Amino acid sequence: MASEQPGDRLAGRYRLEARVRTGAAGECWRGTDAAGAAVFVKLATTAEARAVLAAEAELLAALRHPGIVALREAVEDAGRLALVTDYLPGGDLGALRRAVSRGEPWQRVLGALEPALGGLAAAHAAGIAHGDLKLANLVRGADGGARLVDFGVAAAARAGLLARGSPYARSDTQWAGAAPVPADDLRALGALLYELATGAPPHYPDPAAPGREAPPLPGSVPAPLAALIRRLLATDPEARGDLATARATLAALAARPQAPEPPARALPASGWRPATPLPGAASEVPARRAPSRLAGLALLVAAAVTVFVALPRWVREHPPAVQVEAVAPPPPAAAPAATARRPLPTTPEGLAELARAKSRAEEAKAAFDKARAGLEAEHPELYGGNDYARLTGSAADAEARYQARDYAAAAAAWAVAAELVPRVRAARAPALAAALAA
């Protein structure tokens, strides 16, 4: 069957707008329904993919939960089977990688994660293990909370087929070919939290590591969270505990008060002080100053005419040469050397995961380039200060990481740079105002 194209329609109700990704089993699209609302469409292109997609539709129909992406329907059209779900506009949680190292409060990270964990708990209560819990399968809705998506591995197990999912999310039993169970999702949750803390999943970029202990966590990770991650990554499924305990630990961490913002620096006091009236002379002041008030009012009127009428006309006829003396921002941190490129994975799954990571990095770069468009023409080096230095440093770091095939870190660095662009732009107007005042 020929590949679908933008503008194609399904069952007369859905229009395909843009291809999101293409895999061996099918295609994923962003589409619109008859009312123009955005939807997400998964299309099966093989007989095996049809069986998995039909099983996934059954699972989603049974798992109606606010933390799980909502199923619209499964439709047949001209021999095509399509799974239609709500479209989640917030992107996956990959944008929160290295949240701790870049100063993001864990309260926000865990707040975004909690709705999806509620959906996972509902799935476990129904006897269903997701089997592929990873950042790409936790997608944020308009409210910023993540929903659990893509039950393809669970659906394949229900259809009697083997689907292992991401190599970084697999437990040792999944590596051996066993169908996923809730304990496997706990191990995947540990890997997910590890990736949020460090920027890459355990053992990246060599996922084929059954039985190995995860590398140590950085000291910036709160101790309770680090202990939870170590427990969830245990090779013994019994040692991982249960999801309710993990959620309680995360909720307690999220409830911790955030570190207070540093106090705003007080502006230097002006050298002018109102004159202290002499004792006993208060009643004489109004009488003595009555004539001077009239003179003062006349001066104010003259000043207003000068400022609002004469001065603008003079400036138009004699444009001044205003020179902004910029405070040089601190030099950006040097990008890490990219001479030693990471070796390519040796398994098909590893290569596929690396390709997906590369695609996510390129999407992050495209978003950064779009946000930065036109910024350099405004000479941000004159007013951007520390934020501009961090922006350029993060962009340089992303380029170096990308060349070294550290695509997860590159995507995170480009995301940081993109977040800094509005802050740099916001500094322009106050700097210009100060220059004009000077």
Side-chain angles (χ1 to χ4, degrees):
M1 186 190 319
S3 176
E4 280 69 29
Q5 299 297 324
D8 286 356
R9 292 191 174 274
L10 297 172
R13 297 190 295 280
Y14 303 104
R15 184 179 189 273
L16 301 181
E17 302 290 349
R19 186 182 287 105
V20 177
R21 61 179 180 270
T22 301
E27 297 182 344
C28 295
W29 286 77
R30 177 177 56 81
T32 51
D33 62 14
V39 295
F40 188 79
V41 181
K42 291 175 72 172
L43 285 165
T45 57
T46 66
E48 184 175 295
R50 284 178 61 89
V52 173
L53 204 60
E56 186 174 3
E58 293 178 0
L59 288 175
L60 290 178
L63 295 174
R64 296 285 183 177
H65 188 276
I68 299 175
V69 66
L71 173 70
R72 294 287 191 94
E73 62 176 326
V75 298
E76 288 267 8
D77 182 279
R80 299 175 294 186
L81 177 63
L83 183 68
V84 184
T85 62
D86 284 351
Y87 180 77
L88 302 172
D92 64 49
L93 290 192
L96 295 181
R97 287 188 187 95
R98 287 194 173 171
V100 171
S101 63
R102 70 172 189 247
E104 192 75 43
W106 269 103
Q107 285 84 349
R108 179 190 167 207
V109 177
L110 300 181
L113 181 61
E114 169 53 28
L117 293 183
L120 184 64
H124 287 184
I128 299 167
H130 185 275
D132 196 20
L133 191 66
K134 58 184 179 181
L135 294 179
N137 286 339
L138 299 173
V139 183
R140 285 180 285 188
D143 61 356
R147 276 50 167 184
L148 193 57
V149 305
D150 194 353
F151 279 75
V153 170
R158 172 168 287 201
L161 301 169
L162 176 63
R164 292 177 171 174
S166 167
Y168 297 106
R170 291 180 206 160
S171 67
D172 291 354
T173 54
Q174 284 179 289
W175 276 105
V181 296
D184 299 326
D185 286 342
L186 291 174
R187 193 271 172 196
L189 175 59
L192 183 151
L193 293 170
Y194 187 100
E195 184 173 358
L196 284 174
T198 66
H203 308 302
Y204 182 86
D206 178 20
R212 279 200 291 173
E213 296 293 331
L217 287 156
S220 56
V221 180
L225 180 61
L228 173 64
I229 293 174
R230 286 193 296 269
R231 185 170 77 246
L232 293 173
L233 291 175
T235 55
D236 179 8
E238 296 295 328
R240 296 172 194 154
D242 55 48
L243 182 56
T245 302
R247 290 179 69 196
T249 301
L250 295 174
L253 185 64
R256 283 185 176 183
Q258 298 185 23
E261 294 288 333
R265 188 175 61 183
L267 294 175
S270 169
W272 177 84
R273 292 287 185 278
T276 303
L278 295 175
S283 59
E284 302 175 7
V285 172
R288 282 203 310 264
R289 290 185 179 174
S292 63
R293 286 181 178 174
L294 294 177
L297 180 61
L299 287 174
L300 286 174
V301 171
V305 171
T306 301
V307 170
F308 294 105
V309 179
L311 182 58
R313 183 182 304 161
W314 187 89
V315 169
R316 286 195 299 270
E317 295 173 356
H318 306 81
V322 178
Q323 182 176 0
V324 180
E325 183 177 353
V327 178
T339 53
R341 302 185 73 185
R342 291 174 180 259
L344 289 172
T346 57
T347 63
E349 295 90 347
L351 288 170
E353 182 65 23
L354 187 69
R356 286 190 288 271
K358 181 179 180 183
S359 177
R360 288 193 292 268
E362 290 167 352
E363 290 172 1
K365 183 180 187 303
F368 167 62
D369 289 340
K370 181 179 179 180
R372 186 183 57 174
L375 178 65
E376 300 305 323
E378 300 170 359
H379 299 289
E381 68 277 3
L382 296 177
Y383 57 81
N386 290 337
D387 284 335
Y388 182 64
R390 289 177 59 204
L391 185 155
T392 54
S394 291
D397 180 50
E399 292 286 355
R401 301 270 187 189
Y402 183 86
Q403 294 301 323
R405 295 201 191 105
D406 190 357
Y407 299 125
W414 271 315
V416 171
E419 291 175 359
L420 288 167
V421 170
R423 294 174 56 173
V424 173
R425 282 204 160 103
R428 182 171 183 262
L432 181 58
L436 291 174

